Amino acid sequence: MAYKKPERRSLGHHLGAAPHMTAAQFRRDHWTISTRCPRCHLDCWVDLDVVIRLSGGEVKLWNRQARCRRYGCPGRMVFLCTPPGEAAGAFWPLHDPEGRSG
Ligand SMILES: [Zn+2]
């Protein structure tokens, strides 16, 4: 199979691969990752260097949540991504569609 640079692959390819990708793979392929709190709508960039230092390169962000960074907010932040080659500021959720479990 011919190698295709990540930023030249299709959005459908990226979104299909996203559930299985590790933090190290996101960093290697230059994905942009952010978090959003559904409660207070705080948005934060995610530094993959920090994630990898704290949790290891094999950690997967799909369906993971993190405590909201805002003081006093009990919300749980969800992860969002911009795949390589997509416009800055366009985000797709790194989790299964709402209302579906498993
Ligand atoms: Zn919050």
Side-chain angles (χ1 to χ4, degrees):
M1 203 169 78
Y3 179 76
K4 216 171 178 184
K5 290 172 88 170
E7 59 270 27
R8 301 188 64 98
R9 295 176 200 153
S10 71
L11 177 61
H13 167 90
H14 286 307
L15 296 182
H20 314 290
M21 287 180 67
T22 64
Q25 289 169 327
F26 282 139
R27 182 171 66 174
R28 179 197 64 197
D29 291 351
H30 306 291
W31 289 56
T32 301
I33 310 294
S34 75
T35 55
R36 175 167 297 159
C37 176
R39 209 167 172 115
C40 71
H41 305 292
L42 179 68
D43 291 325
C44 292
W45 296 116
V46 172
D47 186 337
L48 286 171
D49 289 336
V50 172
V51 171
I52 290 167
R53 189 157 3 108
L54 294 178
S55 304
E58 296 305 304
V59 70
K60 291 181 181 172
L61 301 179
W62 189 262
N63 279 344
R64 281 180 79 98
Q65 297 182 331
R67 193 198 294 186
C68 181
R69 300 278 190 81
R70 192 186 293 279
Y71 292 126
C73 177
R76 304 284 299 174
M77 305 186 86
V78 295
F79 289 91
L80 304 173
C81 70
T82 306
E86 297 302 324
F91 289 104
W92 284 265
L94 279 178
H95 53 79
D96 292 319
E98 305 291 339
R100 197 195 293 174
S101 60

